[in-house]
């Protein structure tokens, strides 16, 4: 769970006493939310994505099933499956940690992947140089480009592309307008600022604006994927590592829940899309001794990027 009790947040609360009331409301809501999250976790059986039949696995970070179903225009209907966790590192721990997949290349824009052992996959590519310091994310075009290059070099490997979108910081016109209006973290690498959830709690942005920015960010990654997917032969699966809360209340009169780092589960966080996209040819997948990781992020850079994505205060 994030640390809410920081000097910076205290200063904000002193300037805006409404934040004290909101924090008290959040704390009083936690027992209800945590109990419900425990029930959700006990009632679900998570999918093991690595045991499923696919050649390419496209992971859209923090992609909600309902938004995906409403916005995608691929042929066929998406199913809903239960993610192994409610945040990226939980997904990776349950799916990858302690296992080896030497028939698979993992190309990722998510900094949590640096915590995995280097021999987990045949090849792991962290998109270090493509990080956009101004916004605080990696664009989907860069993930696709790396994926196409890997597929051409290693045509007999399964391929995982882990996109950052629709995870915040968002892309698109609404997100651009919000960054012009509010000093959001992730827009600039230095200086004070707010995560978009904090801006919503302070009523600097509306719930509708956050949801619109999220929707536009999802549209952008879906458009990039659809334009490029024919360059990957075999069966492609579109899914997510977890969902996202966008200001919903778990129970009436409890506090709004944002993101996925509050420490409890909801169906919105655990139920994710699962859409199969077929092409005519399947790949002949083979295992090989893993290649060395090209580069790694130092601990300070990893923490900076996790902060830009909203995981630390």
């Amino acid at each position: 769970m994030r640390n809410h009790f920081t000097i910076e947040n205290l200063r904000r609360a002193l300037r805006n006493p409404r934040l004290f009331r909101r924090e008290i409301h959040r704390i009083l809501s936690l027992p209800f939310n945590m109990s419900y999250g425990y029930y959700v976790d006990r009632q679900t059986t998570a999918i093991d994505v690595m045991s499923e039949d696919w050649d390419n696995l496209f992971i859209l970070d923090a992609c909600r099933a309902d938004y995906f179903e409403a916005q995608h225009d691929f042929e066929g209907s998406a199913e809903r499956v239960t993610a192994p966790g409610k945040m990226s590192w939980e997904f990776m721990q349950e799916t990858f940690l302690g296992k080896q997949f030497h028939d698979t290349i993992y190309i990722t824009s998510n900094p949590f992947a640096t915590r995995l052992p280097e021999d987990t996959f045949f090849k792991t590519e962290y998109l270090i140089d493509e990080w956009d310091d101004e916004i605080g994310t990696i664009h989907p075009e860069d993930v696709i480009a790396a994926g196409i290059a890997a597929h051409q070099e290693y045509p007999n490997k399964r391929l995982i592309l882990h996109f950052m979108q629709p995870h915040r910081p968002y892309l698109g016109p609404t997100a651009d307008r919000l960054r012009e209006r509010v000093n959001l973290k992730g827009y600039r690498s230095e200086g004070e600022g707010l995560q978009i959830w904090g801006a919503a709690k302070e009523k600097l942005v509306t719930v509708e604006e956050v949801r619109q920015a999220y929707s536009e960010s999802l549209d952008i990654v879906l458009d990039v994927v659809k334009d490029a997917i024919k360059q990957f032969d075999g069966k492609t699966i579109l899914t997510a590592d977890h969902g996202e809360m966008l200001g919903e209340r778990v129970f009436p009169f409890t506090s709004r829940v944002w993101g996925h780092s509050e420490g409890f589960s909801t169906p919105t966080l655990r139920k994710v899309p699962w859409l199969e996209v077929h092409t005519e040819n399947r790949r002949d997948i083979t295992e090989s001794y893993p290649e060395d990781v090209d580069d790694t992020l130092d601990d300070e850079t990893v923490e900076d990027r996790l902060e830009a994505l909203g995981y630390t205060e």
Side-chain angles (χ1 to χ4, degrees):
M1 187 184 300
R2 298 191 309 269
N3 177 21
H4 293 269
F5 305 107
T6 64
I7 296 298
E8 185 178 351
N9 285 344
L10 176 61
R11 290 170 180 164
R12 290 197 186 101
L14 291 174
R15 294 193 298 266
N16 185 356
R18 182 176 61 241
L19 294 180
F20 279 113
R21 296 193 296 271
R22 188 204 60 77
E23 182 62 16
I24 292 172
H25 190 197
R26 186 188 71 83
I27 293 172
L28 293 176
S29 300
L30 274 177
F32 301 97
N33 295 341
M34 296 291 288
S35 298
Y36 181 61
Y38 177 77
Y39 170 80
V40 170
D41 287 340
R42 291 292 298 270
Q43 296 299 313
T44 58
T45 301
I47 190 172
D48 178 6
V49 300
M50 298 305 294
S51 67
E52 296 293 322
D53 179 32
W54 49 265
D55 299 297
N56 312 296
L57 183 70
F58 288 9
I59 300 173
L60 310 183
D61 207 297
C63 182
R64 288 174 55 141
D66 53 350
Y67 277 70
F68 182 92
E69 291 162 2
Q71 293 178 226
H72 87 83
D73 59 357
F74 291 94
E75 292 184 7
S77 299
E79 302 177 26
R80 293 190 182 189
V81 298
T82 301
K86 58 188 174 294
M87 61 176 294
S88 297
W89 179 233
E90 289 182 2
F91 170 86
M92 294 179 193
Q93 284 178 298
E94 294 297 325
T95 306
F96 305 139
L97 194 62
K99 306 171 187 176
Q100 292 183 331
F101 308 100
H102 295 169
D103 62 351
T104 303
I105 297 172
Y106 184 33
I107 295 175
T108 179
S109 57
N110 190 305
F112 278 118
T114 60
R115 298 180 179 180
L116 295 171
E118 292 184 0
D119 65 345
T120 302
F121 301 96
F122 166 73
K123 180 181 176 67
T124 303
E125 185 172 352
Y126 309 114
L127 299 181
I128 296 170
D129 295 334
E130 287 74 20
W131 183 265
D132 184 333
D133 286 321
E134 185 177 16
I135 294 178
T137 193
I138 292 175
H139 293 266
E141 294 89 348
D142 295 318
V143 181
I144 284 289
I148 292 172
H151 180 40
Q152 292 173 346
E153 186 174 359
Y154 305 101
N156 294 325
K157 300 299 180 187
R158 296 209 295 180
L159 189 63
I160 301 174
L161 300 188
H162 193 152
F163 299 84
M164 208 62 247
Q165 289 70 40
H167 193 293
R168 65 192 185 282
Y170 300 132
L171 305 177
T174 298
D176 290 341
R177 288 194 297 270
L178 294 180
R179 280 189 283 268
E180 290 177 0
R181 196 172 83 213
V182 182
N183 181 21
L184 296 178
K185 283 186 178 179
Y187 180 48
R188 295 180 176 86
S189 58
E190 298 181 357
E192 294 186 356
L194 286 171
Q195 296 291 342
I196 194 166
W197 308 147
K201 292 168 185 175
E202 293 194 29
K203 300 189 181 301
L204 300 174
V205 301
T206 67
V207 174
E208 292 73 21
E209 286 176 319
V210 174
R211 293 174 179 174
Q212 181 64 27
Y214 176 90
S215 177
E216 291 172 6
S217 201
L218 177 56
D219 275 338
I220 288 172
V221 67
L222 287 175
D223 287 345
V224 170
V225 167
K226 187 163 188 181
D227 286 344
I229 204 166
K230 291 183 179 179
Q231 300 187 59
F232 299 87
D233 60 6
K235 179 196 285 188
T236 299
I237 298 291
L238 273 62
T239 189
D241 51 354
H242 55 80
E244 188 82 312
M245 297 295 289
L246 296 173
E248 295 85 2
R249 304 180 195 275
V250 175
F251 294 105
F253 309 113
T254 55
S255 62
R256 292 185 183 274
V257 182
W258 298 96
H260 49 272
S261 301
E262 291 287 352
F264 55 86
S265 289
T266 68
T268 300
L269 293 176
R270 295 297 301 279
K271 291 295 184 180
V272 296
W274 185 268
L275 178 66
E276 295 185 5
V277 181
H278 292 272
T279 58
E280 293 183 1
N281 300 319
R282 295 297 303 271
R283 297 210 290 276
D284 181 19
I285 303 299
T286 61
E287 292 190 15
S288 305
Y289 190 78
E291 288 197 354
D292 293 334
V293 177
D294 292 334
D295 204 350
T296 58
L297 298 174
D298 60 82
D299 291 342
E300 183 178 357
T301 302
V302 169
E303 290 304 315
D304 287 345
R305 294 185 178 184
L306 289 174
E307 181 177 0
L309 296 171
Y311 287 104
T312 57
E313 290 290 332

